[in-house]
Amino acid sequence: EIVLTQSPGTLSLSPGERATLSCRASQTISNSYLAWYQQKPGQAPRLVISAASSRVTGIPDRFTGSGSGTDFTLTITRLEPEDIAVYYCQHYGGAPPTFGQGTKVEVK
Amino acid sequence: QVQLQESGPGLVKPSETLSLTCNVSGASINSHYWSWIRQSPGKGLEWIGYIYYTGSTNYRPSLKSRVTISIDTSKKHFSLKLSSVTAADTAVYFCARGGDGYNFLRFDYWGQGTLVTVSS
């Protein structure tokens, strides 16, 4: 089973600042089968990035995914109030798919 | 648009069986893989297993002995049964649809989730 470790645990930023979220895998993720989800309180996770860097339809272009192999990054340029949420990375290259423990993005 | 809705008891006694159903609307259930995922404070997001419309299943190894996922294509729903539950099975349970093709373990659509508490 691939273990995903996200850092930092919490990111405290002001609106307009840049958020950089990290996801490190315990082994290489093939074909960049790495997704990022956004979860707001009381809601289900929402897919924002697939294949490490492909933005899902409807997701603003301030969200950018990058990385390959074992190291992946989600960047939110110019943080907006509606971006406040917990973000999870997930590998989906094989069973069982696993999730990171999440990074909480909060307003400073 | 694709919508999934979980239903089932919110309280289950220890050692009993947790049963949930996910109703699918806005899409054919005769395609894609359909998964159950749970979320608890202690274990975060945890994939439980999936089913394909043919009835083919795959379960998380650590839960395999207690999990059964089934599908009823005529009723457009799929179900989860988790036996011999303990407090550790207390979680919000989500149903989700897998992505297209090889992306079937990426979850493109989710239900809103239902909290199941295991307590006597």
Side-chain angles (χ1 to χ4, degrees):
Chain A
E1 172 173 320
I2 294 178
V3 176
L4 298 176
T5 302
Q6 292 187 241
S7 61
T10 302
L11 206 48
S12 297
L13 296 167
S14 300
E17 289 193 300
R18 180 188 191 93
T20 302
L21 289 68
S22 174
C23 176
R24 177 161 290 178
S26 61
Q27 55 189 279
T28 295
I29 293 179
S30 59
N31 299 316
S32 294
Y33 283 139
L34 190 286
W36 289 93
Y37 297 84
Q38 174 193 70
Q39 187 178 32
K40 297 181 179 180
Q43 298 184 15
R46 176 193 184 192
L47 181 67
V48 296
I49 298 285
S50 68
S53 60
S54 295
R55 202 178 305 116
V56 171
T57 301
I59 299 300
D61 61 7
R62 62 180 180 273
F63 287 85
T64 302
S66 62
S68 63
T70 61
D71 290 297
F72 299 86
T73 300
L74 175 67
T75 302
I76 311 172
T77 58
R78 305 180 313 277
L79 193 70
E80 298 281 347
E82 61 263 32
D83 301 333
I84 300 307
V86 180
Y87 291 84
Y88 296 93
C89 58
Q90 181 230 342
H91 99 86
Y92 56 95
T98 55
F99 295 83
Q101 81 279 20
T103 290
K104 182 178 182 180
V105 176
E106 62 179 26
V107 176
K108 185 189 281 186
Chain B
Q1 73 277 25
V2 181
Q3 291 188 315
L4 294 86
Q5 178 68 59
E6 305 89 350
S7 61
L11 181 63
V12 182
K13 290 182 168 53
S15 80
E16 295 190 345
T17 296
L18 177 160
S19 296
L20 295 174
T21 295
C22 180
N23 286 286
V24 177
S25 60
S28 172
I29 200 170
N30 295 321
S31 67
H32 294 89
Y33 287 74
W34 304 91
S35 281
W36 286 97
I37 298 157
R38 67 183 182 180
Q39 184 173 33
S40 61
K43 291 188 176 181
L45 286 161
E46 183 177 57
W47 174 77
I48 298 169
Y50 70 59
I51 191 164
Y52 193 49
Y53 77 97
T54 58
S56 173
T57 57
N58 193 340
Y59 302 135
R60 183 179 201 83
S62 61
L63 298 173
K64 191 173 183 177
S65 63
R66 298 195 291 130
V67 173
T68 302
I69 298 177
S70 58
I71 193 165
D72 187 331
T73 56
S74 64
K75 293 182 179 177
K76 292 192 71 173
H77 73 217
F78 62 105
S79 301
L80 168 70
K81 290 189 185 300
L82 181 65
S83 64
S84 305
V85 298
T86 70
D89 295 309
T90 294
V92 175
Y93 285 75
F94 296 98
C95 56
R97 193 190 85 168
D100 295 332
Y102 291 114
N103 302 313
F104 61 94
L105 289 174
R106 184 194 71 204
F107 308 112
D108 293 2
Y109 295 94
W110 296 64
Q112 65 184 26
T114 187
L115 173 63
V116 178
T117 301
V118 178
S119 175
S120 55

